[in-house]
Each structure stands twice: as C-alpha cells, then as structure tokens.
Amino acid sequence: MNLIFRIIFPRKFMESNKKLYSNLAIGTFKTHVPEEKKSWNIPYDDYCPSELSFDHGKKPWADPIDIKDKNFAPRWNDADGKIDRRSHIGPYKIVDGYPLNPLGRTGIKGKGVLGRWGPNHAADPVVTRWRIDETRSKVVGKRGPILQFVAIQRRDTKEWAIPGGMVDPGELISATLLREFGEEAMNSLEMGEEEYKNLKNQLTDFFEKQGVEIYRGPVDDPRNTDNAWMETIVYNFHDEEGSIVGKFDLKAGDDAQSVKWIDVDRSMKLYANHSMFLEKVVERLEAHW
C-alpha cells in the first residue's frame, strides 16, 4: 500500500529554519519520476508523491496554503484581477480543483515553496557585453568572439545564475527586469534616494529599448511541483560597446551573495536551465560557445 504524506509548514517555522527551506527549494522531498512517466498522458498507477506546502502568510504575492479555502476562488487560465494565472504556452489542465504542471509530474504535490498555485511568473535579464583585451578589441575563442554576462550567486543554493525575479501583480515586464537587475546586481536596495534615481535614469533607456526576447514559457525549476511551477520571460540586453552597463561597478544585493561578469561557455554550470538561455543568446549574437 502506498502512503501519501502531507507536509504543511507554518510561516514561523519556515522563517526560523532557513537552511531547511533552502534544501526544500532544491527538491529534497521529491520522489524520483522516470523520464518516460513524467507526462500526464502516460498512466502511472503507482504515482503517490508527498504533498508539500509552505505558509507565506498574507503576502500580496502568495495564495492561501489550502487550495480548498472557501475564500479562494482563482480564475485559472485567465487574468485574475492583477494576478496573471495564464501560462505562456496555453491552457493547463485543472483536475479535482488542482492545476497541473504543463511540464508533467515532478515527484511532489502541493504549492511547495512557491507563492502561487499554478504558474508563478518571473522575468530574467541576460545582460551581456563582449570580452575585450587591452587594445579594446574583442577576444575571440575557438567558435567566435567571447561574450560575458552578469551572473549572480544565489544565497539559497550557492549556484551561479542569471539575475531575475518575480513579476509583481500588475507590473510591466520591463519594470521587473530593471528592478531585479538593480536589486541583485547593483544592490539598489541599499542606495540612497538620489543615488538610486541616478542609476535608474542611466539604466531605464537601456532596459526599455535594448531588450530582445529570447524565451517565454515554463522552466524546469527545482521549486516546481505538480501544482505550482515557474514560468519566465527572458530578455537579452546587449551592451555592444560596453559603455552602459559595462561601465558600472557590480555589487551583490537582495537574493544574491555575489555578482560578477562571467565568460559565456558551454562548460558553465548554472542554476536550473539558465545555460539554455545563454545558448540562445550566443546563437543570436553569433558568439563563442
């Protein structure tokens, strides 16, 4: 007989157990799902994963921990007030009141550590420049000129990643991209009002006019569950002359413990599927990979 464990962590417990929270975020409690069984279209009678949900309290970015809450009536696959519950790839299934991850089974049910049931929307800016030598010429690798991108080291998993974060309800994607880059790669949260205003003035035009969309859709994120998952829109912001973002001193902030320019190469080990996003940028700019 298969047993299903339902794990509900209250907010105070989560806040006082950061290490456990971090471990959960990378799938500690997930059961293994064979690749050939991940699709919901494939029968899997023995599939009985545990259910895991964290209570984030009454945060504006969080749904109730109990999807059956009588006061919770989400409009699945639709704009739900300022909350966008649509997937970038089209309608997802609702079974017994639960949204199903369009990427398939994950090995765990519930809301996990994510804020929302169903899609959780993020935006990720891939900020790039060319690597240059002392003569200010592009450094060329075996397969083309070498790109560099702004990478952050995440506080939770210690992995290197593209800076980015969640889209606030009603927020424009361009605003999310600028805000997240400023917070994680420039430590804008610690700036004074005048310093932040100056930074924002210098970066706004770059982020509003230079971005090229390279990906839109669900991502294979370690926080995903069967009923809650990450989706993102990824933009490449390329500083061709290195005179805009390239001139700033990077300083880690918010969810980042470190930040630096990293050479783009196929051997990189990055968080989740961020390497896939970099490969798309390489194809666009015909750079070394």
Side-chain angles (χ1 to χ4, degrees), residues 176-191:
T176 304
L177 292 164
L178 175 57
R179 172 173 55 80
E180 288 296 333
F181 182 80
E183 291 177 0
E184 295 190 338
M186 307 293 293
N187 198 23
S188 61
L189 293 175
E190 299 298 323
M191 291 182 178

Side-chain angles (χ1 to χ4, degrees), residues 63-252:
D63 289 336
I65 193 171
D66 184 1
I67 200 170
K68 302 293 186 179
D69 188 317
K70 63 180 181 181
N71 296 315
F72 183 51
R75 298 176 60 182
W76 302 121
N77 289 301
D78 203 352
D80 189 8
K82 290 186 176 181
I83 301 170
D84 190 354
R85 299 193 186 275
R86 295 168 293 187
S87 169
H88 290 309
I89 59 173
Y92 47 87
K93 295 180 180 179
I94 307 297
V95 177
D96 296 329
Y98 288 81
L100 291 187
N101 188 331
L103 294 183
R105 300 180 178 95
T106 64
I108 197 161
K109 299 195 303 182
K111 189 162 65 72
V113 299
L114 293 173
R116 303 226 179 265
W117 294 94
N120 288 255
H121 291 290
D124 298 299
V126 182
V127 177
T128 56
R129 70 180 183 185
W130 297 112
R131 180 180 174 184
I132 58 174
D133 59 21
E134 61 277 4
T135 67
R136 299 202 61 78
S137 299
K138 295 178 185 176
V139 177
V140 179
K142 293 182 179 179
R143 294 171 289 275
I146 297 176
L147 269 176
Q148 295 183 318
F149 78 104
V150 175
I152 63 161
Q153 187 177 32
R154 296 174 61 99
R155 290 187 187 276
D156 53 2
T157 67
K158 312 305 179 186
E159 296 171 284
W160 288 94
I162 297 165
M166 309 307 296
V167 179
D168 289 340
E171 185 177 41
L172 295 175
I173 295 299
S174 59
T176 304
L177 292 164
L178 175 57
R179 172 173 55 80
E180 288 296 333
F181 182 80
E183 291 177 0
E184 295 190 338
M186 307 293 293
N187 198 23
S188 61
L189 293 175
E190 299 298 323
M191 291 182 178
E193 183 177 348
E194 193 63 31
E195 184 182 9
Y196 175 70
K197 182 179 179 181
N198 181 52
L199 172 68
K200 188 175 181 180
N201 287 340
Q202 294 184 68
L203 291 181
T204 295
D205 190 62
F206 178 67
F207 272 84
E208 288 185 350
K209 297 181 180 179
Q210 300 298 320
V212 175
E213 184 179 319
I214 61 169
Y215 180 80
R216 178 187 294 255
V219 290
D220 186 17
D221 191 281
R223 294 167 291 184
N224 288 352
T225 72
D226 289 357
N227 314 116
W229 61 91
M230 290 293 302
E231 301 209 6
T232 192
I233 298 177
V234 183
Y235 275 80
N236 175 215
F237 298 92
H238 182 59
D239 189 355
E240 178 68 23
E241 304 297 328
S243 59
I244 306 173
V245 180
K247 71 181 181 180
F248 287 107
D249 292 328
L250 302 177
K251 186 177 181 181

